[in-house]
Amino acid sequence: MSTASYLPAARRANRRLTIRRAAAWLVSRATDPQTGLWLVISFALVHAVLWTAILIKLKAAQDVHMDVAEAYGWGQRFLLGYGKHPPLSGWMAGVWFKFFPVANWSTYALAMATVSFAMVVCWLIALRVVDRRRAFFSVVMLALYPIFNFKGFKYNADLAQLVPLPLLVLAYLNAFEQRSVRSGLLLGFAGALALMTKYWVLTMIGAIGLAALIHPQRLAFLRSPAPWVAIGTMAVLMIPHLVWLEEVDFLPLTYAGDVYALSSRALNVELVIGYIGHNLGLLAAPVLLGLLALSLSSLSWRPARLLWSSRPNPELNRAQALNVWIIQIIVAIGPPLGALAFTVYMKTDWGIPLFFLVPLVLVAIPRVRIPRMALFTITAIWFVITVAMLFAAPSIATQEMASSHNTASTYAARSELARELTQTWQAKFHSRWAVVAARSDISEPMTFYSPDHPAAITPGEVSSGLTSLDDAKRYGFIGICDTTDPVFLKPCEAWMAEHAKDAEPLVMTTQRFYGGHPGPSTVWKVYLVPPAN
């Protein structure tokens, strides 16, 4: 008999053996206390590098988002607040761009570094709740959560919360377990760090406080020094920022009240439903892919044995799992209910930092089965999706550009305008362009892309504190109005008529081309206001 008939079977056997060896290697590294941390850090670094490369290709036809440019502008000076928000997101951007160039790719690297840091901290959280196998599985589920890949492309105050909020939860679980003065100090520091990012973190702080009050072991925790030391530490650390708040007449709070208060109940309900649907849709990706990984790794296809074990997981820390479940449930249902109660404008992006515990919540269900092979399967799913996106990104960018004729806000060539205005200013006044006055989605990209990095003034909005109208008159400024937006054109022209009376008017047109496709043409009305003598 010919040996040829045996070759396919031999190849399949070798392939299965190779997969088993790879799976065994991954499981041994993930479950070994000596190598587990380095495996997670390595995975997070690879994730950051690959998704930075994907985002560079995916967003090649676009300028950076205005939120990213705004964070860069804030980071030019380390203040105690920036008008709209507390300062930590600006400080983080400022430190980042001390080491990285001001370029599109470095903003995507900053965003991916932020979410990858969160992944490592979430693994540390998981170790206090479940065994190492489940902890690694939950981390890879996070990597499949769109917020941690393509939806996390824009670094802003929402995404920046994924640095302090996981640290806050980790510090709480530590304090709940240790109940010591030192653990209370760490919890207080983490709480202050979170509050210095965005006041929205009060949702997570409130959830942690409620978890401490609801938990069956609450008396042991509340009788310890940990919670009271934490409260005192957080209050002391927040004093400088509170002083700044008083000095600026609580501008961030009044700004939020003016911008996000609604008079229409119907619109309020519509936005809340949109918020819930948006975040459920994003969470469906890691949940369904996690179920797929468990299905492919199971020896049985019977539903009763596919996901559920006959016995609960003996390595589950039930006390800490209860804390995590309570926290996630509260931050999931609390904000929508609060928005309905107070008729608040509910933005979908506010869910960005609130659901990083969902994978852990699911793998911490006592009877959920996580086979050893599931670690390899879910990692393979992540790898296949990531590599597929890496190859598909250029064609996706080209296709989006080809259909961008009516999306001037995304594809308008603001970077080109910034460079042209810088050359015009320097040729005319032989000095640095110091101030730009325009709507924030125009002025912030000018700050980012101009070699002079002018500070921004936004007519009719809260000042960031980086410059003022007096500075603009002293150093001169360039005012910009977008003629393609009739809603904002008249207010912009009115502001320029009042504050740029002696300006030299110009009209500039920009248009971007990518992959052989033209982007929308944008006509800008420009006002050159010379420096004061």
Side-chain angles (χ1 to χ4, degrees):
M1 183 180 294
S2 171
T3 59
S5 61
Y6 292 96
L7 291 179
R11 288 196 187 101
R12 289 195 297 270
N14 288 335
R15 191 180 300 117
R16 286 195 296 268
L17 183 60
T18 301
I19 291 173
R20 287 172 182 169
R21 285 175 177 172
W25 178 89
L26 182 65
V27 171
S28 66
R29 295 299 184 274
T31 57
D32 187 343
Q34 301 298 320
T35 59
L37 176 60
W38 294 112
L39 176 66
V40 171
I41 291 175
S42 299
F43 176 77
L45 286 173
V46 171
H47 179 84
V49 170
L50 289 177
W51 275 96
T52 298
I54 291 168
L55 291 172
I56 290 170
K57 296 180 179 183
L58 198 62
K59 304 293 180 180
Q62 305 175 24
D63 291 332
V64 298
H65 193 275
M66 59 163 287
D67 287 357
V68 181
E70 182 179 58
Y72 167 79
W74 291 349
Q76 299 308 289
R77 292 178 60 191
F78 289 82
L79 305 179
L80 287 172
Y82 296 106
K84 298 178 184 178
H85 296 303
L88 186 61
S89 62
W91 291 354
M92 289 165 60
V95 171
W96 181 266
F97 287 108
K98 294 290 183 185
F99 299 95
F100 292 89
V102 184
N104 289 22
W105 72 264
S106 60
T107 69
Y108 304 133
L110 171 58
M112 290 299 102
T114 300
V115 300
S116 295
F117 175 86
M119 286 163 56
V120 176
V121 179
C122 286
W123 178 78
L124 295 173
I125 293 171
L127 289 184
R128 294 185 173 273
V129 181
V130 295
D131 58 86
R132 292 178 176 272
R133 185 195 311 177
R134 292 168 184 258
F136 186 77
F137 189 90
S138 69
V139 167
V140 184
M141 281 184 69
L142 267 184
L144 294 166
Y145 181 30
I147 296 301
F148 282 67
N149 42 72
F150 75 92
K151 281 290 287 183
F153 75 94
K154 60 177 179 180
Y155 172 84
N156 59 11
D158 292 315
L159 195 73
Q161 291 172 77
L162 287 173
V163 170
L165 288 187
L167 288 173
L168 177 63
V169 173
L170 179 62
Y172 167 67
L173 297 183
N174 179 64
F176 192 87
E177 194 173 81
Q178 299 295 325
R179 300 168 188 166
S180 63
V181 171
R182 181 176 178 275
S183 65
L185 287 170
L186 292 174
L187 178 57
F189 179 80
L193 197 68
L195 271 175
M196 289 289 278
T197 312
K198 191 175 180 178
Y199 303 130
W200 180 245
V201 304
L202 287 170
T203 56
M204 185 66 74
I205 292 175
I208 287 173
L210 288 173
L213 295 174
I214 294 170
H215 200 284
Q217 299 178 16
R218 57 186 174 274
L219 290 181
F221 179 63
L222 295 175
R223 286 170 179 168
S224 74
W228 315 110
V229 171
I231 293 171
T233 301
M234 185 168 65
V236 170
L237 292 176
M238 289 300 296
I239 287 174
H241 181 69
L242 294 174
V243 170
W244 173 84
L245 266 180
E246 195 275 332
E247 289 175 349
V248 299
D249 295 325
F250 301 94
L251 272 178
L253 303 181
T254 56
Y255 168 81
D258 293 340
V259 172
Y260 298 115
L262 289 176
S263 56
S264 170
R265 171 59 70 179
L267 178 59
N268 170 238
V269 173
E270 180 184 343
L271 290 170
V272 169
I273 293 173
Y275 169 89
I276 295 171
H278 179 81
N279 286 287
L280 285 177
L282 293 178
L283 287 168
V287 173
L288 293 178
L289 291 171
L291 288 174
L292 176 62
L294 294 178
S295 301
L296 295 175
S297 306
S298 178
L299 297 176
S300 171
W301 285 92
R302 286 185 293 175
R305 297 183 59 186
L306 182 62
L307 297 175
W308 300 102
S309 172
S310 59
R311 293 178 299 176
N313 177 19
E315 297 182 77
L316 176 68
N317 186 329
R318 289 181 175 272
Q320 296 289 39
L322 185 58
N323 269 320
V324 170
W325 293 332
I326 293 171
I327 292 169
Q328 186 59 81
I329 290 170
I330 291 173
V331 296
I333 66 175
L337 292 178
L340 289 174
F342 297 102
T343 322
V344 172
Y345 186 104
M346 194 73 173
K347 293 181 66 176
T348 56
D349 279 1
W350 289 355
I352 285 174
L354 296 185
F355 298 101
F356 60 87
L357 290 175
V358 168
L360 176 57
V361 164
L362 296 177
V363 302
I365 296 174
R367 292 186 181 273
V368 168
R369 297 179 68 248
I370 308 289
R372 293 165 62 88
M373 190 66 184
L375 270 64
F376 176 82
T377 307
I378 196 167
T379 305
I381 290 172
W382 165 85
F383 181 75
V384 169
I385 291 173
T386 301
V387 171
M389 281 299 301
L390 186 62
F391 284 101
S395 61
I396 293 173
T398 302
Q399 291 171 8
E400 289 185 346
M401 184 67 174
S403 60
S404 68
H405 304 294
N406 297 317
T407 54
S409 60
T410 300
Y411 291 96
R414 291 175 173 84
S415 55
E416 295 179 13
L417 179 65
R419 288 185 282 267
E420 290 183 20
L421 289 177
T422 304
Q423 294 172 2
T424 301
W425 180 273
Q426 292 179 353
K428 189 169 186 65
F429 301 114
H430 306 287
S431 63
R432 173 182 170 270
W433 176 19
V435 180
V436 56
R439 202 173 68 232
S440 56
D441 65 324
I442 301 169
S443 62
E444 301 299 351
M446 298 302 109
T447 300
F448 185 84
Y449 286 109
S450 169
D452 288 342
H453 306 302
I457 289 179
T458 304
E461 285 195 12
V462 173
S463 171
S464 64
L466 297 170
T467 189
S468 65
L469 189 57
D470 289 339
D471 288 340
K473 293 177 179 178
R474 184 182 307 114
Y475 301 118
F477 67 93
I478 297 179
I480 308 170
C481 295
D482 181 359
T483 63
T484 63
D485 194 337
V487 174
F488 291 98
L489 180 58
K490 288 186 177 180
C492 182
E493 290 177 328
W495 192 91
M496 298 301 169
E498 180 181 356
H499 299 287
K501 296 178 182 178
D502 300 326
E504 176 184 345
L506 298 174
V507 175
M508 291 186 172
T509 303
T510 59
Q511 187 174 24
R512 172 181 282 109
F513 292 83
Y514 179 79
H517 300 283
S521 177
T522 308
V523 179
W524 312 92
K525 296 186 73 172
V526 176
Y527 303 80
L528 296 180
V529 179
N533 294 328

